[in-house]
Amino acid sequence: MAVRQLRLVVTAEDYDEAVRFYRDVLGMPERDAVPPGNGGRVMILDAGAATLELAEPATAEYIDSVEVGRRVAGHIRVAFEVDDVHGGTEALRSAGGEVLAEPTPTPFRSTNARVEGPAGLQLTLFQMD
């Protein structure tokens, strides 16, 4: 078996807010929007290349400590590589995201910020140094 695509499926109580935040502000273009047949809505946004990062609890705690200063993430956190972590953080803040940590240089050779977005997703924005 070979995996062809990683798709993170998020249930958003406020669908319109989530679409605005992730598609319009974060800049993830719509890839597909197939009505599910029950009158509801679903949209697939393109996030570029996908990877699955697995971390032990102690490592996840360390990453939170580096990025935010304390343990704040649940067992799932979404990380997006962006061209401008400072501008991206400000754009998400203006769109209603709660900035948990401003862009900070990390030992991971990147500058990272942490934002709480719609649908309860905790996001790391990172820009490689």
Side-chain angles (χ1 to χ4, degrees), residues 1 12 14 17 27 39 46-47 54 61 69 76 79 90 95 99 122:
M1 172 176 31
D14 189 334
E17 176 193 26
D46 193 336
L54 302 173
E61 185 173 340
I76 294 177
E90 285 310 310
V99 175
Q122 208 169 101

Side-chain angles (χ1 to χ4, degrees), residues 63-129:
I63 292 168
D64 276 5
S65 174
V66 167
E67 291 184 4
V68 185
R70 66 189 189 290
R71 184 74 172 127
V72 293
H75 76 287
I76 294 177
R77 173 179 52 82
V78 182
F80 294 105
E81 182 177 3
V82 297
D83 292 331
D84 177 7
V85 69
H86 296 279
T89 302
E90 285 310 310
L92 296 183
R93 182 193 326 268
S94 295
E98 179 187 350
V99 175
L100 302 175
E102 298 292 338
T104 305
T106 73
F108 318 126
R109 298 185 318 270
S110 62
T111 299
N112 296 15
R114 187 73 69 89
V115 178
E116 179 88 23
L121 283 181
Q122 208 169 101
L123 315 173
T124 292
L125 295 186
F126 69 98
Q127 179 179 349
M128 298 308 295
D129 294 336

